[in-house]
Amino acid sequence: MTRKHRRLVALVLILLGVAVATALLLFALRQNVTYFMSPTDLVSTSARPLAGGRPIRVGGMVVYGTVKREGTITRFTVTDNENNVVIEYDGIVPDLFREGQGIIATGTINNDHVFIATQLLAKHDENYMPPEVAKAMKPHFDAMEAKQQEAPQQ
């Protein structure tokens, strides 16, 4: 085998090793990815295959008058001002959880289209909104602001 062939074989083996390592890394990371969706994303039919059985995050504002507690189970509705998602959580809710506040819930969606949360995150003060929620709700906040500006001043 000539020197040129040995270099070529070494290069091919190195590239093959890098490809296998990359494939293993991507496969391992794929199992740990948690996607964020707004209620509108979750309601859309294109999101159904992604949501099927895999943990995802849903964020939005808790709708007034929808929080119902039965023992440790809390059931409420989250909105992005376009669509709503019913969330059910079994456990102690965060101290800052209340109606009209922004939350992010991690869990899965069942066959009845109810989001079964395993974790709830509530915003910590009036100036903070989780970046995922802020990005998902920005168009709706802009539309609400435009409507307020169009309304006659009293």
Side-chain angles (χ1 to χ4, degrees):
M1 190 179 281
T2 65
R3 191 174 186 185
K4 186 176 181 180
H5 284 104
R6 277 185 274 164
R7 275 194 225 146
L8 185 61
V9 168
L11 180 64
V12 167
L13 288 175
I14 290 171
L15 289 175
L16 186 63
V18 168
V20 168
T22 302
L24 289 173
L25 179 68
L26 291 175
F27 180 74
L29 289 177
R30 185 185 72 179
Q31 295 174 352
N32 294 327
V33 171
T34 304
Y35 294 100
F36 175 81
M37 295 183 177
S38 68
T40 299
D41 295 336
L42 194 58
V43 168
S44 75
T45 56
S46 62
R48 296 270 178 224
L50 180 64
R54 301 205 58 190
I56 55 174
R57 289 185 175 166
V58 174
M61 304 296 268
V62 179
V63 177
Y64 285 98
T66 63
V67 177
K68 309 266 189 288
R69 291 187 171 96
E70 295 177 17
T72 60
I73 297 175
T74 305
R75 191 177 177 107
F76 57 95
T77 302
V78 171
T79 186
D80 61 0
N81 293 329
E82 193 170 320
N83 285 300
N84 297 336
V85 171
V86 176
I87 296 178
E88 191 172 286
Y89 177 69
D90 187 4
I92 299 171
V93 296
D95 290 338
L96 296 175
F97 174 83
R98 65 181 67 87
E99 296 171 339
Q101 296 289 331
I103 64 112
I104 294 180
T106 304
T108 57
I109 191 157
N110 67 11
N111 293 334
D112 298 329
H113 306 293
V114 174
F115 189 83
I116 307 300
T118 56
Q119 180 183 27
L120 288 181
L121 302 172
K123 67 182 192 174
H124 62 79
D125 68 14
E126 294 303 317
N127 298 323
Y128 175 76
M129 182 175 290
E132 296 95 347
V133 175
K135 183 178 177 185
M137 299 208 44
K138 183 175 180 357
H140 308 293
F141 287 142
D142 292 344
M144 287 172 47
E145 186 177 304
K147 285 180 185 178
Q148 288 176 350
Q149 290 175 355
E150 291 174 4
Q153 299 293 328
Q154 294 180 354

